[in-house]
Structures are given as structure tokens and as C-alpha cells.
Amino acid sequence: MAGLMSFFFTCFTVFFLLVGFSSFPAEAAIKRYQFDIQMKNVSRLCHAKPIVTVNGRFPGPTVYVREGDRVLINVTNHVQYNLSIHWHGLKQYRNGWADGPAYITQCPIKSGRSYTYDFNVTGQRGTLWWHAHILWLRATVYGAIVIMPKPGTPFPFPQPAREFEILLGEWWNNDVELVEKQGSRMGLPPNMSDAHTINGKPGPLFPCSEKHTYAMEVEEGKTYLLRIINAALNDELFFGIAGHNLTVVEVDAVYTKPFTTQAILIAPGQTTNVLVQANQPPARYFISTRPFMDAPIPVDNKTATAIFQYKGIPNTALPLLPHLPSPNDSTFALNYNRKLRSLNSPLYPANVPLHVDRNLFYTIGLGKNTCPTCVNGTRILASLNNVSFVMPEIALLQAHYYGVKGVFRSDFPDRPTTSFNYTGAPLTANLGTSTGTRVSRIGFNSTVELVLQDTNLLTVESHPFHLHGYNFFVVGSGIGNFDAARDGAKYNLVDPIERNTVGVPTGGWTAIRFRADNPGVWFMHCHLELHTGWGLKTAFVVEDGPTPDQSVLPPPKDLPPC
């Protein structure tokens, strides 16, 4: 009898364990990647040169993860440059040590050294990307991040037959670091790129580029998801496919209310997911991208192309070109951005801060400082609130965490010290532009509204701003000078688009809101690499919360030394 009872007890225990294991969700997976930073000879536009790559690939490998995964990416630096990698758009809650901007959250990985980026993907799904975050190395060091929803969670749009990652970039025939250094020595903008690229390839409109053309094969009647990333250093880009509409369903890894358009506008740092139906007569169609610039500033205005090719169509068929907006079509740009709205569904709500604890107003300006060795005796610099940011020699997060004095000042002004007609007649004065490593301190869990105002110092220009560690809501945008009473009354506080990188329109303003619930030091900068180098950047020091689980995590043991 005792043996029979023991048998039944054993069976019941096994049954209970099996039911228990099937009733609870599986633990999050651990995804591991090895990134070897290597030089590789690459040929484009009849020119061959060595470039910095990850694992010898250009663009670099795609990081595939699922919402809820833990990710460990070991980066080993085999090149002569110091380097760090930024995981653009990942919030890195309490874990700025894995964010990656050099001298902000870490010192760079020196030649011959390694560092493991260890982070969790929490509450995010969609398309993001990674790139080098030092010097101009992201010209060739970049790749996609694809975050799939949790198992069993469908997309809030029709399931595509297949997905494609589309990375838009720029190519220089010369060494991009030498190009940047030459411009810096002269005090002038460096030479613009020689081509734009789609997945690292410029397409057949460029010399020696027949084999350097990206092509995707599609089947008639099927729907495809394109994960589009603007990895260009300095250009906002239009993107379209001849004869086909694009249905926008996500930006910056946030689902949107779907809308259909013939072309999209995407700024450096931004991502956009679109659905494309292969519903046209089977043929070969050009995919095209070219710059948008509505200010009197020279850009690389050449068109990069790829091929949208229906199955069974021979490669000899001539592709059709799409009708992209004119290069200076600001009306299209403004209307396109107004169409972007958060999905704001029960599963994906738009939790817009309705009450604001801290109001910030930052003016964006270009200027000139004296430089006796430069071509014109001056050097171009850029500023926020007339402060041009100087990179420190010790990472700001390390200085904040360990209480190191003298690395930065916490007195970045909430408003410009000098008010003027920001978008009126062009001004050439510097207004006493200062330089320094100055940041803003933000109380934990406080709500922030930041208005970014373009100015006509030297010239007006569009500026895509990226905030590390956060998503924010774009509650308003307009042309001219911001007026709090007039423009604030028109804010969209119901379903504004949520993103991590936003364009400030040429001669206009953009207002964003976010809740400062991620403690640490978080970089904010223009994602035009040219402007970042000139000082168009700052950082927020978000204070720790009242409990240990609302405070910055301890640094990892292999954090690169300064």
C-alpha cells in the first residue's frame, strides 16, 4: 500500500510540474553576438579603399532579438581607431553603460581591447539600428536591429509575406576621417559625399555600379514589410518605389496609424516601416532615394537606386523610376510629418504627459569663432542656447556616478540668454557664443517639455535631434517663431507620434514631451554628423529615484578605461 501511494504521489508531482511549466511563460532568451571591428578593402564608384567594418561586412550584421530578450554583444576592436557602438533607440533603462556614445556614457574601446554591451529589450518592438558613435566612423559602421514582438503577439497590421531591411547611407571615395579632419583644419564644412547608397550600394546610375546594386525579388499579389533606416551622416532623404504606394505602419519602433503615401521622408537616425503590395504589372521597378534640403546649403543631390523585381522578370528589362518630391519640397515634408500619429490603441497607448514640471526652450544656432589658422580666419561652430558643447575627456556617466568634480557643469540654461527674432532676417553675429561641457539636471520622474527653435544665425536649416535613453512625444511643430500661448493651444495631446529622433523644420520649431523616468546621463544631439562635430549637442543628467530599482545600475567590470 505504501508503495502504491508513493507511485501515485510521484505521478501527481510530475503532472503538477508539467502543468506548472506549461502555465508560465518561458524565460527570456539570451542572444549573443560577436562584433569584430575590422578593416576591409571595398570598391565603389570605380574607387577602392579600406573601410572600417563589423565582421568584414558593409553594412554590418543585423541584430535579431525578441521583446523581452537579454542581449550580449561583445565588441573587439582590431583597427587603429578608438571606437564605441550606440544601440540607437534602445532605452537602456538604468543602464547607460550599454548606450555607447563615446565620452558620454563610456570611454571608447581602444585598439586591441574588447567590451561587452549587456542590455535587456524591454517594452519595445520594431526596427531600430546600431552605429559607431565617435568621429565619423558611422559612415561605414552601422546595421539594423530587428525586435520581433513576444511569441504569439501579432503585428497590428496584415502579416507580410516577407521582410526586407533597407539601410540608406552615404559613400565617400576618400577616407572619411581624412575628409572630416581636412574640413576641421580649414574651419569649413568637409567635402560632401560622392554617392548615396541602399544597403551599401549606390545603384546603376553611378559608374562601375552595375554589380553594386541591391535587388529584392517579389511575387505578384503578395505584401512585403520594408524596415527602412536612414544611416546617412548628413542628409534627410526621400524614399519611394516606382509605381507602388507605401503604407507607413511604424516609425522609430513605435506603431503608427497606417497611412498611404507615394514617398516617405526620413531623417538621419530615424527608422520607418512600410508595407508594399506587389500589385503592379510584373516588371522591374526602381527603388530610389535622394536628399531633401529646403535651405540654401549644398548637398550631395545624386539619386541612389535599387531594384524591386517581380519573380520571373529577366534582368535585362529596364526599370521605371519613381516620381520623388522635388529636393526642396518643404510642403511635402510638413504634410508628411503631420500625418504621423501614434496608434494609441488599448495594447499600445500613447501616454502623453499632460502636466509639465519643467519647461525648456532651446535655440539652434550656427556661428563663427576666430581661427587664425583657418581659411577665412574663422571656424564654424554650432550651439544650443548659444552654448557650443565641448566633449569631455572622462565619460559624463562615470563622472556623475562616481562624483568626479570638474568634468562638467550642471548649469545649461533652460532658455537662451538673449532673445531676438529667431527666424527673421539672417544674422551673422555669434551673440557671444560660449563653449563648454554644460548639462541640465532633471529630477527623476519629472515631466519635461522641450521646444527646439531653429534660428537664422548664418542660415536656417532643418535639424534632426536624437535623445538617447528615451522616446518622446512630438506634441507640436510649426514654421516661424514659437509662441507658447498661440502654439501651445494647438498641441496634439491625444495621439502625437512617439519617437526617438525628430526633425526641427527649416526656420521653425518642434515641441516634445517626455517623462524623465530613466536615471543616468543621456546625450541629446543633432544627428547631422557635421553639426554634432561643431558642438550642436548637450546632455541631460536625470537624477536617481528614491529606491535602488530607480537608480543607475553599477558599471560593468569590463568598462573601457579612459
Side-chain angles (χ1 to χ4, degrees), residues 5-6 13 21 63 76 79 87 92 141 151 199 203 231 298 360 362 424 527:
M5 290 296 294
S6 175
T13 302
F21 284 138
V63 174
T76 303
V79 302
W87 316 97
Q92 308 287 13
V141 181
N199 287 348
L360 305 176
Y362 289 179
H527 222 277

Side-chain angles (χ1 to χ4, degrees), residues 441-461:
R441 285 193 180 272
I442 306 292
F444 177 78
N445 212 35
S446 61
T447 53
V448 179
E449 177 176 308
L450 168 60
V451 176
L452 291 159
Q453 172 73 62
D454 188 30
T455 69
N456 206 357
L457 288 167
L458 295 188
T459 181
V460 290
E461 187 176 353

Side-chain angles (χ1 to χ4, degrees), residues 34 36 74-77 109-110 112-116 558-560:
Q34 174 63 40
D36 286 305
N74 185 67
V75 178
T76 303
N77 187 2
I109 305 165
K110 296 178 181 178
R113 304 291 289 269
S114 297
Y115 176 52
T116 299
D558 64 340
L559 193 68

Side-chain angles (χ1 to χ4, degrees), residues 156-176:
F157 48 79
Q159 180 71 29
R162 187 180 171 187
E163 302 178 11
F164 295 92
E165 290 114 46
I166 306 292
L167 292 104
L168 312 177
E170 290 181 89
W171 173 265
W172 279 260
N173 287 329
N174 294 321
D175 184 321
V176 69

Side-chain angles (χ1 to χ4, degrees), residues 133 464-468 523-527 532 536-538:
H133 211 301
F465 268 84
H466 173 46
L467 176 59
H468 291 226
F523 205 24
M524 189 188 76
H525 60 97
C526 180
H527 222 277
T532 301
L536 196 50
K537 52 197 173 187
T538 186

Side-chain angles (χ1 to χ4, degrees), residues 77-352:
N77 187 2
H78 301 281
V79 302
Q80 71 270 32
Y81 302 105
N82 294 339
L83 182 137
S84 66
I85 303 288
H86 170 49
W87 316 97
H88 185 114
L90 283 164
K91 295 179 184 177
Q92 308 287 13
Y93 183 65
R94 302 170 54 217
N95 188 28
W97 311 109
D99 191 41
Y103 299 108
I104 303 298
T105 59
Q106 66 168 94
C107 287
I109 305 165
K110 296 178 181 178
S111 183
R113 304 291 289 269
S114 297
Y115 176 52
T116 299
Y117 292 93
D118 182 350
F119 54 87
N120 296 316
V121 180
T122 304
Q124 293 183 275
R125 80 294 305 160
T127 304
L128 296 172
W129 66 300
W130 58 263
H131 59 83
H133 211 301
I134 187 171
L135 307 174
W136 278 32
L137 292 178
R138 75 175 174 92
T140 58
V141 181
Y142 62 85
I145 301 173
V146 174
I147 308 171
M148 296 302 294
K150 291 180 179 179
T153 303
F155 295 132
F157 48 79
Q159 180 71 29
R162 187 180 171 187
E163 302 178 11
F164 295 92
E165 290 114 46
I166 306 292
L167 292 104
L168 312 177
E170 290 181 89
W171 173 265
W172 279 260
N173 287 329
N174 294 321
D175 184 321
V176 69
E177 290 303 310
L178 293 179
V179 169
E180 190 277 331
K181 288 177 181 176
Q182 181 184 37
S184 181
R185 283 195 303 269
M186 297 173 67
L188 299 171
N191 292 339
M192 67 184 68
S193 57
D194 295 291
H196 291 98
T197 58
I198 299 175
N199 287 348
K201 300 176 179 181
L205 302 185
F206 289 87
C208 304
S209 296
E210 282 295 331
K211 68 177 182 178
H212 298 305
T213 300
Y214 175 75
M216 64 175 71
E217 186 179 75
V218 299
E219 293 185 44
E220 185 180 6
K222 291 188 176 180
T223 299
Y224 298 87
L225 179 68
L226 308 188
R227 299 177 179 271
I228 306 164
I229 298 163
N230 186 350
L233 265 68
N234 294 309
D235 289 334
E236 294 185 78
L237 296 168
F238 292 121
F239 175 93
I241 303 175
H244 295 75
N245 288 328
L246 311 175
T247 300
V248 178
V249 293
E250 177 199 303
V251 298
D252 291 2
V254 176
Y255 296 133
T256 66
K257 288 183 170 66
F259 68 92
T260 300
T261 179
Q262 287 189 322
I264 68 166
L265 176 63
I266 184 167
Q270 293 181 337
T271 70
T272 303
N273 283 8
V274 301
L275 294 175
V276 183
Q277 290 184 308
N279 58 3
Q280 296 301 302
R284 300 174 80 221
Y285 298 85
F286 265 133
I287 303 167
S288 298
T289 186
R290 73 177 179 208
F292 162 64
M293 172 55 73
D294 59 349
I297 295 172
V299 294
D300 173 9
N301 62 4
K302 305 178 191 74
T303 301
T305 54
I307 307 294
F308 192 80
Q309 182 162 343
Y310 282 70
K311 188 174 183 179
I313 299 299
N315 292 342
T316 53
L318 292 176
L320 303 173
L321 271 170
H323 297 289
L324 294 178
S326 299
N328 63 348
D329 193 342
S330 55
T331 300
F332 176 91
L334 292 169
N335 288 337
Y336 174 82
N337 284 320
R338 288 190 190 106
K339 293 176 184 176
L340 293 170
R341 300 291 182 94
S342 290
L343 190 59
N344 195 22
S345 68
L347 281 177
Y348 307 104
N351 297 315
V352 188

